[in-house]
């Protein structure tokens, strides 16, 4: 349809998640009209990304080194590990400033519907770390979804016999929220998890 | 926040139109997890785009040569030129199979609000083509917006004294549409432009 080099960019962009053919066309034409240096910088940054960034050998976080900055930080408590579904979840938890242990990226959550079983997640690697690093507590910070809850429960059953405390992030009302707008499941969990003041 | 090479990709992606920081993060993490060859192919296609594709010296369409495939096509009628706002509009008109003249990409539409004046569009280049190529009709295919209409009117006033017929794409009801859903301005134009059967 378009000139081959242009069509190629459109096709490659359209393979990205959430980018349809129309958006890919719009982006490709945008790249044709910006400063050439800007377009080249985008292209190079994508190529460099894969050359420079890989996954931490310990926790599977994103890193430019053998191990990620968090695993290499000696001030972090190695006895407590926060298990997340995806590497990008780490940044969200780090931003709270409330956690000073290490992480473990599972690579997803259990899902019978999508056919995701424990051996497709990094569960074996987590179990190996329990002994190696003397982990005492695992915080299951998987998403508060059916899949995330099931994964947390699975981890609890698997790790408790190893003498590890498995905890779960609290579910409840979002801070600044409004009771009126809370769904009944969230409100139910907020009630069940109520604390004495 | 993230490792520098990752943050760089996020920043570059977030500069694209319609891509916010959140989407940029999602895309960057996606690129970290796909096959390395796929990520590299995207990066290279973007760099190649600017090396291989430029604008047609005659009509400012996108081309990998000195002139675009349409300008080089001897079967196209050089006496009729379709003026569009952007190069991507050419593909839309070509898809109808109803136009066999050449094109001219203005590079936008007149807009006093956004400060776009005739000297910021490729109007001078269009006027130069009238004589050079013996153009008899200019189809103003700018968008059916206030700016596009104003641009079409401006071109009509400018080019009529040169002996050129300036025409405008018909406004009216979209084919397959429903009277109930037509806005009053479109319906008004459909009435004003009614034809005898």
């Amino acid at each position: 349809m378009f000139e081959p080099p242009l069509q190629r960019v459109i096709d490659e962009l359209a393979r990205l998640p959430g980018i349809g053919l129309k958006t890919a066309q719009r982006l490709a034409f945008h790249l044709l009209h910006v400063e050439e240096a800007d377009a080249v910088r985008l292209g190079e940054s994508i190529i460099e990304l894969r050359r420079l960034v890989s996954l931490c050998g310990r926790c599977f976080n994103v890193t430019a080194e053998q191990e990620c900055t968090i695993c290499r930080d000696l001030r972090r408590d190695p006895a407590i590990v926060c298990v997340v579904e995806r590497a990008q979840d780490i940044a969200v938890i780090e931003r709270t400033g409330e956690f000073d242990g290490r992480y473990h990226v599972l690579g997803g959550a259990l899902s019978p519907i999508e056919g995701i079983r424990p051996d497709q997640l990094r569960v074996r690697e987590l179990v190996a770390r329990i002994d190696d690093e003397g982990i005492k507590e695992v915080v299951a910070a998987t998403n508060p979804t059916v899949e995330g809850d099931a994964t947390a429960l699975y981890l609890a059953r698997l790790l408790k016999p190893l003498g590890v405390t498995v905890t779960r992030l609290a579910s409840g009302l979002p801070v600044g929220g409004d009771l009126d707008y809370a769904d009944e499941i969230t409100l139910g969990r907020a009630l069940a998890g109520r604390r004495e003041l």
Side-chain angles (χ1 to χ4, degrees), chain A residues 96-149:
Chain A
T96 67
E98 296 282 340
F99 182 74
D100 74 338
R102 287 172 172 173
Y103 291 91
H104 188 83
V105 180
L106 273 187
L110 296 177
S111 170
I113 292 168
E114 294 179 46
I116 297 175
R117 297 181 313 271
D119 58 314
Q120 284 159 286
L121 303 177
R122 300 194 192 98
V123 172
R124 200 172 44 238
E125 291 86 344
L126 176 62
V127 173
R129 287 182 64 185
I130 304 285
D131 264 352
D132 287 358
E133 303 172 31
I135 295 171
K136 297 270 173 286
E137 179 182 349
V138 163
V139 182
T142 48
N143 287 327
T145 57
V146 173
E147 290 81 11
D149 286 347

Side-chain angles (χ1 to χ4, degrees), chain A residues 21-176:
Chain A
L21 202 59
K22 207 82 182 170
T23 305
Q25 271 183 29
R26 195 168 46 79
L27 292 176
F29 273 97
H30 171 82
L31 288 172
L32 264 182
H33 287 92
V34 296
E35 292 285 316
E36 177 160 1
D38 287 351
V40 169
R41 223 173 34 240
L42 169 62
E44 282 176 350
S45 70
I46 291 171
I47 295 171
E48 290 287 274
L49 176 69
R50 294 305 294 262
R51 205 172 60 76
L52 297 176
V53 174
S54 56
L55 299 183
C56 172
R58 186 191 299 269
C59 76
F60 302 97
N61 184 13
V62 167
T63 179
E65 313 274 333
Q66 191 74 20
E67 286 197 350
C68 75
T69 45
I70 294 171
C71 283
R72 277 180 289 142
D73 187 342
L74 297 174
R75 290 163 305 181
R76 316 266 319 197
D77 184 356
I80 174 166
V81 165
C82 180
V83 173
V84 292
E85 292 184 18
R86 299 166 313 158
Q88 48 265 57
D89 298 332
I90 292 177
V92 183
I93 294 175
E94 282 297 287
R95 239 174 279 147
T96 67
E98 296 282 340
F99 182 74
D100 74 338
R102 287 172 172 173
Y103 291 91
H104 188 83
V105 180
L106 273 187
L110 296 177
S111 170
I113 292 168
E114 294 179 46
I116 297 175
R117 297 181 313 271
D119 58 314
Q120 284 159 286
L121 303 177
R122 300 194 192 98
V123 172
R124 200 172 44 238
E125 291 86 344
L126 176 62
V127 173
R129 287 182 64 185
I130 304 285
D131 264 352
D132 287 358
E133 303 172 31
I135 295 171
K136 297 270 173 286
E137 179 182 349
V138 163
V139 182
T142 48
N143 287 327
T145 57
V146 173
E147 290 81 11
D149 286 347
T151 309
L153 270 177
Y154 170 82
L155 290 178
R157 280 198 208 121
L158 181 74
L159 302 179
K160 268 182 195 164
L162 306 177
V164 178
T165 308
V166 179
T167 55
R168 181 91 175 106
L169 293 186
S171 267
L173 299 171
V175 177

Side-chain angles (χ1 to χ4, degrees), chain A residues 1-29:
Chain A
M1 188 74 207
F2 294 104
E3 296 282 333
L6 178 59
Q7 189 62 49
R8 203 180 143 210
V9 171
I10 294 171
D11 292 342
E12 293 295 338
L13 286 171
R15 298 179 62 170
L16 295 173
I19 306 278
L21 202 59
K22 207 82 182 170
T23 305
Q25 271 183 29
R26 195 168 46 79
L27 292 176
F29 273 97

